[in-house]
């Protein structure tokens, strides 16, 4: 059995742990040959692969990023304006692959499945999203690490806020789903947590800040990059004209700052965490989780269950048909237990 | 409504997060008065309590230990040879308590329930076990932190092992259940993981070590303090005669070392992690989890659901009748998914 | 003996360690009374002080920020347009202070000295600068912590850079002195380190990036917020029009990104660390250093050596006349050993 | 120019940072060829070497341990009872080495120098001691990391101590010099710090514990493994009979526990940190320091200054003749500033 492995889309802590588990499990359980494909689908297009042996994946469990490399955009169906999927399928045959393990987000897995549909090898998917927003998947690896990184940042900023009696705004990842802001906000003792799922009310937030500063307390605001004011259109791009990457420039944190400052006596400061949230060594929790995801993918392969994606549901690893979840996002539902919990202990959710 | 709060049994990261969530939730949701009882039941016996207000529990989320203090042994039913439960019940009345929230292990909650049965106030329990071994409770707060601490230690010891080509044995907590050794062992890339639930075979472990050192690799062994060799009686106390605290002296790690060294050419070293595993600031994961446990306890109180213990099942907070779980331990079942996963990626489980 | 204590200027890890050491040392060595002044000079203006006893400063060693609070701007010589120094001097007398310990930057100490000159109590200064740029002071507390925070961020960003083959730019604090960027850049294995002291050459940096990506390697750039291109005027404010806080918006990192991207095939990304660099618990190194600074201040007080600032020179604590260092900055000298070291191991310094 | 590189003696954080800096500096500054010798002198005896190129030492800065491996005991002058130094010298010639960089403790460097004296290649030494006790060297790499590890452990144990009102004893490395216990003790807010350099008085320590528990406070004791009671013989081996490694079993911590418990009402607990103190990724401080040590060694080589050891004095890198420091230990002098500082803030030093 020859199995191809690739990681696609954005960097995420735990990718190497998945690669290690898939490879070790396949080698040990069925003596499979594992072929590592470099830089996601780009490696299939540019024909860059390398064998992955036991020693190649030893010692990488705790290393951030992916030893295979990844690419965000390369699709064989639209590569520099052309459809090169036929060449990619031919290359898969040359390599003698029996199946492909695609570790990535929605896009990566959809492409892998489409390749199978046009004559390529069958695939098994391992969901990868630092935002924890893949449908049918309770908790994805990398998320716990991102939450830990953001929580650490919130604590650091908090000490400054308290020393100066300021309102500190920290912007986290999460354009469509607010999981990171919600969990890190609670773990970092944020007083206000703003998510894409709940439009916020500037006046209400200002009230919270004033009430706290009246008691000589700082206010810590944790805002997801996709959060928006009630009624307010998402006009970040325009507010920070000419910037090469508006979102990364912290549109929402700086916009909220501009909205709040006129309403408050205390200083308001904004910080955008940006790329630090994606990187670093996975937490022990994520190492165990990613190892389970990888091992489960190897099991699906051994059982010949193709076109499926590994999932975690009710605390157990299992799988769903890729088709059944493709193109869907998992946002924070309005009735989510953590939202109620946050409200009941006094967190302002917008 | 006046509610008493106490923490009993051993220290555990997240206790303050629970105290904070219970208190804030009770004050905010029903304007309750919260009374903190010092040093577990000792505070009820010695009449040492203090009010807990909003500000008393602000800023303690990330602090390890318990601001109320705790005690391992004090039971009103057997206090210095006497049964002082009547005085304790009387004191509860004097305090005007309507209910008691007991955060602790099996013993703590059983005593709290027994007090209710002899005329004391009704109770709600929050399970506390760093070993993650309370029946009916999927994942307890403090466990993730302990796993992180042990994983960090395994990684440190690993660098020494690799530099010297040694066999390194690290002893973790877990006298009856091996959860910490299992998860930390996987997260710390241990080659051998030994649990109380699976008797180990010294010859087989020696084989693993020899095979690895033949490939110039070190071997990392993670052993729970309750693990024992097949057939071998648990004779730690006798092997380390005259020590004030045999288990803490690392009976099992040093015994395993003594068993392995004669069978191996490479050096074998043993380390006992001991008390460091209990302490420290909770991980973000544990802060969120402990906050949910505390808030759920406040909900049970508000709904008047007494004699129950908060639990986590299928990823959701709920509760069980204390009677239904008292006196049971949750060990690692032989068919647990993580055991299979570990085996499939090549970990030796004894 | 009654001693006033205040912390002024920006937040810095280790302030509480200094407060603890000064207070414990004064109480223990000469039974002094210590008065904590809130929010820097603002506390003297608004008459907000509180006694600091042994227990008040116990358990704060590892806590970030300052328990006394601080303020950046409040000067008794120019308070809301008026000179209120006479009232402040009068208030010092009312409090019966014998001396003042001012922990802060250049501004804070100069004001404290000026107060003494117009009839206020004599002062002793403890230098506080996260940028490590106070003249006459080899290494200031807080700096090691900031370097550790930035190094951690560089490592996180590095994993993303490597996975994607990108050029990652990380902006650190340091408007006038590049110490943080230099040490964190070396500790974080940055390939390019850009300081305010050395104007950089965009073409040369692009060359480094191209050479590395030709070998399929990412490039990590660590740039201090005060770094500027050769000949290029500092036009950040204009490039990010209408922003409430241009520097915080990452002027230099995003400008460099805009300069580099046209010259490179690989993606360039920029991150601005911002406020996270000031906060958090001090490293053990900084705890020891801050404790020594605080204790040395108490010694100067006991010996009646006023108008002086504690310093670290040649690895030893001592002091200098405040007048001799006021108004001077300590930049990275062109012949500094670390610059030569960085160059010799192949780091591009601009 | 062909240079041999070896690491000898115990594992220490920063070894890879030194290897990286020496190699990069030599390749870049004089196009030298660098030969890595495996497992210290064992590699010269068993003829196991490998070339070290630029890429071999890239990405290892933050990795604990040594990629070359090390050995504690192998001496060419006494290898399995025979003197094989002549073969080793011959092998050095075969390899065409011009010089040898020995990174290690006293023993390693003395052997390297002796080899030069009997016809081997000249050597340059880089001092390596986690205990920070090498003569002529102010601060050695790895020490800051060990202090950070111990400080973290002290903080964890502290939370347990406070929650239970216990006396917690933590045993650190340091058989002859107490640097780690002293700095970590101060950074970890230990109430009692016991060093090999100062015999302790059990009665006095008990007094401190009683005074604290009278104020409902726990007591944290940090004791170096070489500390001993006044007059008391070092009888650890006998007290823990039959153990394979008495010191590692925590002789001194458990002996102190046995001595204190009878004198106190509060529980006394002991923990031995053991091997975790040697391992792990170096702190940013140690990465910078180790990089400087490595680069300085390359400079000595380029200048042909042989038989010398790199040192840090007065905060500057320089070197001393190996002969002038060999066989000497650097203990904590009785008049050391940190001892006075600790006493003045109320720490009991025995």
């Amino acid at each position: 059995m020859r199995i191809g492995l690739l990681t696609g889309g954005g960097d995420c802590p735990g990718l190497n742990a998945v690669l290690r588990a898939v490879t070790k499990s396949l080698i040990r359980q069925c003596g499979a040959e594992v072929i590592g494909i470099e830089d996601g689908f780009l490696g299939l297009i540019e024909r860059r692969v390398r064998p992955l042996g036991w020693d190649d994946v030893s010692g990488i469990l705790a290393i951030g990023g992916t030893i295979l490399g990844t690419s965000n955009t390369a699709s064989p169906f639209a590569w520099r304006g052309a459809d090169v999927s036929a060449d990619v399928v031919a290359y898969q045959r040359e390599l003698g692959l029996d199946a492909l393990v695609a570790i990535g987000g929605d896009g990566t897995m959809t492409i892998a499945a489409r390749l199978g549909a046009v004559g390529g090898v069958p695939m098994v998917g391992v969901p990868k999203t630092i935002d924890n927003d893949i449908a049918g998947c309770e908790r994805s690896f990398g998320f716990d690490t991102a939450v830990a990184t953001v929580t650490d940042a919130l604590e650091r900023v908090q000490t400054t806020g308290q020393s100066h009696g300021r309102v500190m705004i920290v912007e986290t990842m999460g354009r469509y789903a607010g999981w990171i802001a919600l969990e890190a906000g609670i773990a970092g003792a944020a007083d206000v947590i703003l998510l894409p799922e709940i439009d916020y009310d500037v006046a209400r937030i200002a009230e919270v800040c004033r009430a706290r500063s009246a008691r000589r307390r700082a206010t810590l605001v944790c805002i997801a990059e996709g959060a928006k004011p009630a009624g307010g259109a998402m006009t970040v791009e325009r507010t920070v004209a000419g910037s090469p990457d508006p979102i990364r420039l912290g549109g929402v944190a700086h916009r909220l700052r501009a909205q709040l400052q006129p309403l408050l006596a205390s200083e308001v400061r904004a910080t955008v965490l940006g790329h630090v949230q994606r990187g670093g060594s996975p937490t022990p929790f994520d190492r165990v989780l990613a190892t389970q995801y990888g091992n489960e993918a190897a099991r699906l392969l051994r059982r010949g269950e193709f076109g499926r994606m590994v999932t975690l549901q009710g605390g157990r690893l299992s799988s769903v048909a890729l088709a059944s979840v493709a193109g869907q996002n998992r946002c924070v539902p309005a009735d989510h237990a953590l939202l109620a919990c946050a409200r009941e202990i006094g967190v302002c959710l917008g």
Side-chain angles (χ1 to χ4, degrees), chain A:
Chain A
M1 184 154 76
R2 275 169 79 88
I3 307 295
L5 233 61
L6 67 75
T7 50
D11 181 31
C12 179
L15 286 170
N16 284 327
V18 175
L19 294 174
R20 170 180 177 265
V22 176
T23 304
K24 288 193 166 186
S25 191
L26 284 173
I27 291 174
R28 196 182 165 80
Q29 301 307 313
C30 51
E33 274 179 280
V34 181
I35 307 296
I37 297 158
E38 295 180 354
D39 301 334
F41 290 106
L42 197 58
L44 285 177
I45 295 171
E46 297 180 347
R47 304 189 157 221
R48 289 188 284 106
V49 304
R50 59 176 193 257
L52 284 183
W54 190 273
D55 288 352
D56 299 312
V57 296
S58 293
I60 68 171
L61 173 63
I63 298 174
T66 161
I67 59 168
L68 288 180
T70 181
S71 53
N72 279 348
T73 51
S75 162
F77 297 98
W79 176 239
R80 296 180 176 154
D83 179 338
V84 298
S85 55
D87 312 356
V88 163
V89 167
Y91 183 52
Q92 286 186 350
R93 289 221 187 75
E94 283 173 46
L95 290 171
L97 298 183
D98 298 301
L100 186 69
V101 176
I103 308 161
D106 207 41
T108 301
M109 277 181 266
T110 307
I111 291 172
R114 249 182 98 186
L115 278 174
V118 298
V121 297
M123 63 81 69
V124 161
V126 177
K128 178 233 59 162
T129 160
I130 204 151
D131 293 329
N132 201 33
D133 62 352
I134 281 188
C137 183
E138 210 163 68
R139 201 162 186 96
S140 53
F141 64 86
F143 174 66
D144 187 65
T145 305
V147 167
T149 304
V150 174
T151 301
D152 177 73
L154 286 170
E155 287 189 283
R156 293 182 181 284
V157 168
Q158 177 76 291
T159 62
T160 300
Q162 281 165 342
S163 302
H164 291 269
R166 287 180 184 153
V167 173
M168 304 298 281
I169 304 170
V170 176
E171 177 175 324
T172 75
M173 291 190 303
R175 292 191 192 197
Y176 312 107
W179 297 107
I180 289 176
L182 178 57
E183 291 216 2
I186 291 173
D191 306 297
V192 179
I193 301 175
L194 306 176
L195 316 176
E197 294 88 347
I198 306 172
D199 289 354
Y200 62 81
D201 172 348
V202 177
R204 186 143 168 270
I205 298 168
E207 211 171 281
V208 171
C209 299
R210 279 191 302 265
R212 290 185 60 82
S213 77
R215 293 165 47 228
R216 312 199 68 79
R217 299 197 170 283
T219 302
L220 182 60
V221 180
C222 181
I223 182 170
E225 63 185 329
K228 44 195 177 325
M234 187 68 172
T235 58
V236 179
E237 286 69 8
R238 249 167 291 111
T239 55
V240 192
S243 129
D245 182 357
I247 287 291
R248 283 275 76 77
L249 267 174
V252 305
H254 288 284
R255 180 181 53 189
L256 178 57
R257 182 189 178 192
Q259 292 168 320
L260 276 177
Q261 189 62 92
L263 310 176
L264 301 174
S266 31
E267 279 183 300
V268 184
R269 292 294 173 92
T271 304
V272 184
L273 297 182
H275 294 286
V276 294
Q277 299 167 86
R278 285 204 158 284
S281 175
T283 58
F285 181 96
D286 275 338
R287 295 181 203 177
V288 173
L289 188 59
T291 297
Q292 289 175 285
Y293 271 101
N295 185 56
E296 191 64 26
R299 286 181 178 178
L300 290 174
L301 282 172
R302 293 202 302 272
R303 295 198 300 256
E305 297 184 23
F306 298 121
R308 300 185 69 80
M309 177 183 88
V310 178
T311 60
L312 184 79
Q313 279 166 327
R316 312 189 141 286
L317 270 292
S318 75
S319 71
V320 291
L322 190 57
S324 70
V325 292
Q328 300 169 42
N329 260 39
R330 197 178 68 94
C331 289
V332 180
D335 65 351
H336 192 273
L338 257 184
L339 292 176
C341 175
R343 278 194 200 89
E344 290 175 14
I345 61 170
V347 176
C348 168
L349 294 175

